[in-house]
Amino acid sequence: MMAGFTGGCLCGAVKYDTKQAPSVVANCYCDDCRRSSGTSHGTHLMVPEEAVIISGEVACYSSSADSGNMINRHFCPTCGSAVYTTNNNTKGLMFLRASSLDDLEVAKPQVQVYASRIPSWALIDETLPAFPEMPDPEAMQKMMGV
Ligand SMILES: [Zn+2]
Ligand SMILES: [Zn+2]
């Protein structure tokens, strides 16, 4: 199995190094991930916070999700690249953006959330489990077998 992986922002001021593989890789088509992504969705790699070392200063934009939970989007203040997200409701977890990976092959999406918002032009893998909105964590874990 793959061990850790690395990534960072466009200008190189923010870098990270993880000690383990992502436990879940999800495509999220919610409006907020889309607007901060550059395309129709964000691809997020879920890892425990304690397995990630971040270097460099990040800026943060927090907004409230449909659930009312605060979503904190961390990005490089110099180049603006999205690096990772945390959620006040899933303390201890980080969601690293696939766009920040050094090796893109690390991220193979396993699930799609907010699939009801996938645009007609997006190329999607029809075999992936898809939730129309954000599933509750237990439903997702059950489906993913994690
Ligand atoms: Zn940067
Ligand atoms: Zn999202």
Side-chain angles (χ1 to χ4, degrees), residues 30-34 36 44 59-63 71-75 84-86 97:
C30 82
D31 297 357
D32 295 0
C33 288
R34 170 176 63 82
S36 60
H44 305 274
C60 180
Y61 173 72
S62 297
S63 60
I71 308 292
N72 313 301
R73 295 172 188 277
H74 301 264
F75 57 95
Y84 67 96
T85 302
T86 56
R97 285 279 186 145

Side-chain angles (χ1 to χ4, degrees), residues 9-14 76 78-81:
C9 68
L10 172 61
C11 75
V14 181
C76 173
T78 303
C79 69
S81 307

Side-chain angles (χ1 to χ4, degrees), residues 3 14 16 22 28 30 36 42 45 49-51 53 55 74 82 84 88 96-97 105 113 127-128 133 136 138 142 144:
V14 181
Y16 60 80
C28 182
C30 82
S36 60
L45 288 70
E49 218 157 17
E50 62 192 17
I53 297 161
S55 62
H74 301 264
Y84 67 96
N88 288 2
L96 293 159
R97 285 279 186 145
E105 296 301 320
V113 299
T127 65
L128 290 181
E133 300 290 317
D136 58 67
E138 276 129 67
K142 219 167 131 193
M144 308 287 306

Side-chain angles (χ1 to χ4, degrees), residues 24-109:
V24 175
V25 180
N27 285 342
C28 182
Y29 291 83
C30 82
D31 297 357
D32 295 0
C33 288
R34 170 176 63 82
R35 285 191 191 276
S36 60
S37 75
T39 185
S40 60
H41 63 282
T43 300
H44 305 274
L45 288 70
M46 188 175 94
V47 283
E49 218 157 17
E50 62 192 17
V52 185
I53 297 161
I54 304 271
S55 62
E57 207 177 307
V58 289
C60 180
Y61 173 72
S62 297
S63 60
S64 132
D66 291 353
S67 58
N69 297 321
M70 289 309 284
I71 308 292
N72 313 301
R73 295 172 188 277
H74 301 264
F75 57 95
C76 173
T78 303
C79 69
S81 307
V83 182
Y84 67 96
T85 302
T86 56
N87 180 332
N88 288 2
N89 195 41
T90 54
K91 287 248 187 287
L93 293 174
M94 278 175 85
F95 301 87
L96 293 159
R97 285 279 186 145
S99 52
S100 67
L101 289 169
D102 289 334
D103 175 8
L104 274 176
E105 296 301 320
V106 162
K108 296 260 193 320

